[in-house]
């Protein structure tokens, strides 16, 4: 391959889109109806179709997953301390801290990047009220182990499934585990509603509480029965969500093709390992995650990212730094890193590469060529070699 980028800029999280004509028709209809928000017909349809897809009884759509996490933790009565991984997007932890709940950071299993159940017992104190598991990159947590420990200590379990729509755990779709699960439909997610999120659960009472709490706590016109907030999804977001949902199989097929291409093109590059998805489970393949072994590759992870950026490939270092190294946590819990060796190690090695509808086989070949070229040449301190041919 030559050294000219013929792909244009490539971004992690470039949005996917369903059928534009169908989306615009839905938007036209909702404008005609003059029902823009407050549990409109498109939101209700979106909720029903998400619930059907996931195989749960209830889906409560929200304005985004962060607010959904806040409302869900409030509805579950989380207080005091809640155990949560530090290897996650900061919103998982902010949702707790925002409500005055102390996050207690659990380390991850370096093979799965998910919370390590073996660390949980020693983190539980009389103040602990719950555990938040995150299905990182759509690979489900060890749900059974977490639920068993939680039940033993009378704790509630909430799963942050922001990455895991369309994924399964032991053959069952993510969405029905714990007391409830939270999905994100942010523009960067493989299935998006511009901004959006949802809580899914099989618990009717909890679902009703979530519905009222996302609408200020109103039960009927003039009667507020809970402390609520404005967490509602708008009709235009539901229009986008429904249109994306109709394209979900095609988007997953594209992600899967890109993932296979990355696996092939990166296979023999020393020190570069792409994470695997269990072929026995369903996955959305929305994340291309590679770990860089600095010794084996001879390059630094950060140098490689800078190099990719200089070639118009906007790779990301998720989740670096771990949440415990971000404010306010690094001030409140300055020693947290000592008990998170796997989080520290994994977050120093990961790179997320572009995929989705905006990426094709030629783009994947180009990204892999840039990586291979940088590694073959060894680390150059500037991290930017332009595009000169070798
Ligand atoms: C694990 C995780 N949780 C929560 C969120 C927050 O989602 P939203 O942007 O919909 O608020 C994200 C967003 O990327 C995420 O990755």
């Amino acid at each position: 391959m030559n050294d000219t980028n013929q792909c244009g800029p490539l971004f992690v999280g470039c949005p996917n889109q369903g059928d534009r004509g169908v989306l615009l028709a839905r938007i036209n209809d909702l404008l005609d109806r003059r029902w823009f928000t407050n549990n409109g017909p498109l939101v209700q349809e979106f909720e029903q179709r998400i619930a059907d897809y996931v195989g749960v009884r209830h889906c409560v759509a929200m304005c985004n997953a962060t607010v959904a996490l806040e409302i869900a933790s409030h509805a579950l009565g989380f207080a005091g301390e809640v155990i949560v991984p530090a290897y996650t997007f900061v919103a998982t932890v902010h949702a707790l801290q925002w409500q005055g709940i102390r996050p207690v950071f659990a380390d991850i299993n370096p093979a799965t990047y998910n919370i390590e159940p073996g660390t949980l017992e020693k983190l539980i104190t009389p103040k602990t009220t719950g555990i938040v598991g995150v299905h990182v990159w759509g690979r489900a947590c060890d749900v059974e182990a977490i639920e068993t420990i939680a039940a033993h200590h009378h704790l509630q379990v909430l799963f942050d499934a922001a990455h895991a729509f369309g994924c399964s755990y032991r053959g069952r779709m993510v969405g029905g585990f714990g007391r409830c699960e939270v999905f994100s439909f942010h523009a960067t997610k493989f299935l998006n509603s511009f901004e959006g999120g949802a809580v899914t659960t099989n618990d009717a009472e909890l679902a009703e509480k979530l519905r009222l709490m996302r609408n200020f706590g109103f039960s009927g016109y003039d009667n507020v029965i809970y402390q609520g907030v404005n967490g509602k999804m708008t009709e235009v977001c539901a229009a986008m969500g429904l249109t994306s949902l109709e394209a979900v199989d095609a988007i997953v097929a594209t992600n899967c093709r890109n993932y296979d291409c990355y696996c092939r093109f990166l296979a023999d590059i020393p020190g570069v390992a792409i994470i695997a998805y269990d072929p026995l489970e369903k996955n959305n393949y929305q994340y291309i995650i590679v770990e860089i072994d600095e010794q084996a590759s001879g390059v630094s992870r950060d140098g490689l990212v800078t190099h990719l950026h200089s070639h118009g490939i906007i790779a990301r270092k998720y989740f670096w730094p771990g949440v415990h190294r971000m404010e306010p946590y690094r001030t409140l819990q300055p020693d947290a890193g000592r008990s998170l060796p796997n989080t520290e190690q994994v977050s120093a090695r990961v790179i997320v590469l572009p995929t989705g509808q905006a990426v094709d086989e030629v783009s994947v070949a180009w990204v892999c060529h840039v990586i291979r070229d940088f590694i073959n040449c060894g680390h150059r301190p500037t991290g930017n070699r332009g595009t000169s041919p070798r």
Side-chain angles (χ1 to χ4, degrees):
M1 169 169 273
N2 72 33
D3 276 312
T4 310
N5 177 4
Q6 287 160 359
C7 307
L10 294 166
F11 295 88
V12 167
C14 186
N16 297 315
Q17 297 176 28
D19 186 311
R20 191 176 295 202
V22 172
L23 171 65
L24 294 177
R26 282 195 167 110
I27 294 175
N28 244 330
D29 286 352
L30 81 87
L31 292 172
D32 288 346
R33 262 195 306 277
R34 293 184 185 271
W35 190 348
F36 297 165
T37 187
N38 288 2
N39 204 29
L42 293 178
V43 166
Q44 293 176 41
E45 185 184 347
F46 183 61
E47 291 182 335
Q48 188 57 55
R49 283 167 68 174
I50 292 286
D52 292 346
Y53 192 92
V54 167
V56 287
R57 289 202 197 99
H58 309 281
C59 169
V60 184
M62 305 257 182
C63 55
N64 58 56
T66 306
V67 168
L69 284 164
E70 287 171 10
I71 294 176
S73 357
H74 192 70
L76 292 181
F78 280 178
E81 297 176 356
V82 167
I83 299 171
V84 62
Y87 187 73
T88 182
F89 185 62
V90 70
T92 318
V93 184
H94 275 351
L96 301 170
Q97 183 73 34
W98 194 255
Q99 300 175 80
I101 298 162
R102 181 173 184 268
V104 174
F105 294 115
D107 207 4
I108 53 167
N109 180 318
T112 64
Y113 297 8
N114 284 326
I115 200 165
E116 169 51 54
T119 65
L120 294 176
E121 293 275 2
K122 66 176 188 299
L123 300 176
I124 295 171
T125 75
K127 290 187 189 156
T128 312
T129 54
I131 301 172
V132 176
V134 183
H135 304 305
V136 177
W137 313 134
R139 302 191 300 181
C141 292
D142 189 343
V143 168
E144 197 176 292
I146 294 169
E147 287 186 336
T148 304
I149 294 165
H152 185 67
H153 293 274
H154 308 289
L155 304 175
Q156 316 242 35
V157 180
L158 163 63
F159 287 108
D160 178 340
H163 301 172
F165 186 77
C167 301
S168 68
Y169 167 77
R170 298 195 181 163
R172 277 175 58 202
M173 297 298 275
V174 166
F177 298 111
R179 290 291 312 284
C180 60
E181 306 211 49
V182 172
F183 292 111
S184 170
F185 304 120
H186 182 254
T188 54
K189 299 293 182 289
F190 86 110
L191 186 147
N192 85 85
S193 60
F194 298 133
E195 287 269 6
V199 187
T200 53
T201 181
N202 284 311
D203 180 332
E205 212 174 305
L206 176 61
E208 183 56 14
K209 200 169 178 183
L210 293 163
R211 270 181 210 292
L212 301 188
M213 284 184 170
R214 81 168 167 189
N215 185 30
F216 312 102
F218 272 105
S219 170
Y221 278 123
D222 305 309
N223 187 23
V224 171
I225 63 168
Y226 294 120
Q227 180 186 343
V229 69
N230 184 354
K232 300 188 296 295
M233 177 179 269
T234 64
E235 285 292 273
V236 77
C237 287
M240 182 65 169
L242 282 165
T243 312
S244 301
L245 194 55
E246 284 155 2
V248 76
D249 292 343
I251 298 171
V252 172
T254 301
N255 287 344
C256 203
R257 179 208 61 202
N258 289 346
Y259 175 78
D260 288 343
C261 286
Y262 273 112
C263 288
R264 261 189 290 125
F265 295 144
L266 294 174
D268 60 342
I269 306 182
V272 178
I274 186 163
I275 65 162
Y277 293 106
D278 184 342
L280 298 177
E281 299 289 359
K282 287 190 77 160
N283 200 283
N284 53 45
Y285 293 90
Q286 71 176 312
Y287 296 106
I288 304 293
I289 311 293
V290 295
E291 269 196 38
I292 306 301
D293 178 332
E294 298 200 346
Q295 281 210 318
S297 65
V299 302
S300 78
R301 185 274 305 261
D302 291 0
L304 176 55
V305 170
T306 306
H307 184 72
L308 286 162
H309 283 207
S310 74
H311 285 70
I313 301 161
I314 310 306
R316 301 298 303 266
K317 298 187 274 190
Y318 293 138
F319 294 110
W320 180 87
V323 174
H324 62 294
R325 291 183 175 274
M326 296 177 168
E327 290 295 358
Y329 315 104
R330 66 175 172 233
T331 298
L332 293 172
Q333 305 188 39
D335 297 328
R338 287 200 195 144
S339 52
L340 303 171
N342 297 333
T343 302
E344 299 282 37
Q345 193 211 52
V346 167
S347 63
R349 291 163 70 112
V350 278
I351 297 185
V352 188
L353 297 173
T355 186
Q357 286 173 332
V359 173
D360 59 11
E361 287 169 86
V362 174
S363 323
V364 175
W366 163 246
V367 174
C368 297
H369 167 75
V370 171
I371 294 173
R372 180 185 300 277
D373 199 37
F374 186 66
I375 288 175
N376 283 347
C377 291
H379 180 58
R380 309 261 171 111
T382 63
N384 182 349
R385 297 181 301 109
T387 53
S388 55
R390 293 180 52 230

